Amino acid sequence: MGFFSFRQDLAIDLGTANTIIMKDGQIILDEPSVVAFDKRTNEVLAVGTEARKMYEKGHAYIETIRPLKDGVIADFNAAEQMLRSLIKMINKRNRRLFAPSLKLVICIPSGSTEVETRAVHDSGEQAGGREVYMIFEPMAAAIGIGLDVLAPEGNMIVDIGGGTTEIAVISYGGIATKQSIRIAGDEFTMDIMEHLRRAHNVRIGERTAEDIKINVGSALKELNEDAPEEYTIWGADQMDTLPREIKINYTEIAGCIDKSIVKIEKAILDTLEATPPELYGDIVKNGIYLTGGGALLRGLSKRLTDRFGIAFQVPDDPLHAVAKGTAVALKNTDNFNFLIR
Ligand SMILES: Nc1ncnc2c1ncn2[C@@H]1O[C@H](COP(=O)(O)OP(=O)(O)OP(=O)(O)O)[C@@H](O)[C@H]1O
Ligand SMILES: [Mg+2]
């Protein structure tokens, strides 16, 4: 291979919350999906962690954007710029002088419309992709946790990300039944913001609400094991704008995110109902796999196991399941005919 025809193969989990890039089966980049622009020149000022620090901080000429909303590209230009900057970041770290031609596999929500699918494809091409493939997220998650997706055996994945919850039954290299709902981690965060406004009269930002979720979030009002300590935050009182200290416990958070979890349960139920009986039998036997950042919510797998009478299990490293599976797909673009071009 000549020097100038160098090709780089990358697998990209373009998530609502985080973008992960893998190369040769290794995670080489894991950054929040945020990009910051200079409003005056439209230049990219920062991307990833650096841009997230600027997020919601309010600045005269800095505009921070999360290009994905509900699992899909909401701002096409920002998504493209973000992808381009992240890929540049990799090349800079490797001190590469010339931008190599790229072969990319990018994951997309299983409920993506044709327009949304095309938007991801085009962003990949605009960011330098010569060969761009796409894979449905739950399929990638299944591969990522080591399931044999080509086997004639039904397996169910519930991937709770930031923007979407993807539920799918996979068998024979295809998706037999699926549901993709726009209720996931970000919705829990919104529930928490709303709850603090209503119950405590305090306004908090998205980042503080997410901290509350991670520190004292729970799917159950009563946790037997690993119950977290109370968590203290400061917010501005809505009446007099004076600082207020608030102590929050997990039971309170379980109460305020309950309605969103109920919606996820409903979607799981609908998917199970639509599952052919033979595959349903496999699922009862194998259990259901929970992936994505939402899988880390305390008490969730127990709540779902009790609710459905089927064992819900959280594999190691659920946050990276989709990315890992996308990386496996990258190596198998010739024999995984479920990839989308
Ligand atoms: N310990 C935790 N407890 C609860 N939620 C968590 C935890 N850690 C991360 N999360 C949440 O998980 C979500 C991010 O998960 P993930 O990285 O799987 O999403 P994504 O792939 O970027 O989004 P999507 O797949 O919807 O596009 C965020 O909403 C984050 O707040
Ligand atoms: Mg995801």
Side-chain angles (χ1 to χ4, degrees), residues 13 15-18 71 137 159-164 185-186 210 213-214 292-294 296-297 319:
D13 174 0
T16 307
N18 302 298
E137 275 166 4
D159 181 273
I160 307 175
T164 54
D186 288 348
E210 188 180 15
K213 177 178 71 178
I214 290 171
L296 295 168
L297 186 69
L319 266 167

Side-chain angles (χ1 to χ4, degrees), residues 26-323:
Q26 301 289 327
I27 295 172
I28 53 168
L29 183 139
D30 184 351
E31 296 277 339
S33 305
V34 186
V35 57
F37 291 97
D38 185 325
K39 277 191 215 164
R40 302 165 304 186
T41 60
N42 278 329
E43 246 178 296
V44 173
L45 290 175
V47 68
T49 310
E50 282 308 306
R52 188 175 189 267
K53 284 184 195 152
M54 304 170 179
Y55 191 67
E56 283 189 336
K57 291 280 185 192
H59 189 288
Y61 66 86
I62 300 175
E63 183 182 20
T64 50
I65 298 179
R66 287 182 62 182
L68 281 92
K69 194 171 183 316
D70 300 333
V72 296
I73 295 181
D75 184 329
F76 187 72
N77 174 55
E80 204 176 292
Q81 297 289 341
M82 180 178 79
L83 212 51
R84 200 190 281 271
S85 304
L86 292 172
I87 292 170
K88 230 188 242 166
M89 211 181 216
I90 301 170
N91 288 328
K92 212 181 261 169
R93 276 187 207 154
N94 295 343
R95 296 162 188 271
R96 200 167 272 133
L97 292 175
F98 300 95
S101 96
L102 300 171
K103 174 179 173 180
L104 304 175
V105 178
I106 310 176
C107 63
I108 53 172
S110 61
S112 300
T113 62
E114 228 168 273
V115 174
E116 289 162 348
T117 307
R118 178 128 293 268
V120 172
H121 177 271
D122 292 353
S123 292
E125 271 192 347
Q126 291 298 325
R130 284 282 170 78
E131 262 179 89
V132 181
Y133 298 84
M134 280 154 304
I135 181 170
F136 287 129
E137 275 166 4
M139 184 63 108
I143 298 168
I145 61 174
L147 299 178
D148 178 3
V149 294
L150 300 175
E153 165 126 36
N155 276 298
M156 186 161 177
I157 299 284
V158 177
D159 181 273
I160 307 175
T164 54
T165 294
E166 301 270 321
I167 305 158
V169 176
I170 287 157
S171 168
Y172 261 134
I175 294 179
T177 48
K178 64 169 182 96
Q179 278 263 327
S180 175
I181 58 164
R182 298 183 172 192
I183 303 278
D186 288 348
E187 193 72 19
F188 302 155
T189 303
M190 296 302 153
D191 291 340
I192 294 169
M193 287 169 79
E194 190 191 293
H195 171 76
L196 268 105
R197 209 164 41 229
R198 286 209 190 160
H200 297 279
N201 259 314
V202 153
R203 285 187 304 121
I204 56 167
E206 209 177 302
R207 281 172 54 184
T208 304
E210 188 180 15
D211 285 343
I212 294 173
K213 177 178 71 178
I214 290 171
N215 283 284
V216 280
S218 171
L220 290 170
K221 288 192 174 152
E222 238 170 278
L223 289 169
N224 299 325
E225 301 136 37
D226 53 68
E229 305 257 307
E230 274 188 341
Y231 187 70
T232 307
I233 61 126
W234 287 87
D237 193 293
Q238 294 196 115
M239 304 303 280
D240 53 16
T241 325
L242 290 174
R244 288 266 314 277
E245 187 194 58
I246 296 163
K247 290 194 189 309
I248 300 163
N249 64 41
Y250 75 84
T251 306
E252 186 178 344
I253 299 305
C256 81
I257 64 177
D258 182 68
K259 60 178 186 294
S260 297
I261 298 176
V262 167
K263 287 181 191 151
I264 292 175
E265 287 174 339
K266 166 86 170 54
I268 295 172
L269 185 67
D270 289 348
T271 314
L272 283 170
E273 267 172 11
T275 301
E278 293 301 328
L279 297 180
Y280 180 85
D282 292 343
I283 292 165
V284 172
K285 187 175 75 182
N286 296 337
I288 296 174
Y289 302 92
L290 270 180
T291 60
L296 295 168
L297 186 69
R298 289 175 194 79
L300 183 63
S301 60
K302 181 170 189 317
R303 173 172 170 157
L304 297 175
T305 301
D306 293 348
R307 165 78 176 73
F308 292 97
I310 302 174
F312 277 72
Q313 39 207 315
V314 181
D316 284 343
D317 203 12
L319 266 167
H320 295 137
V322 169

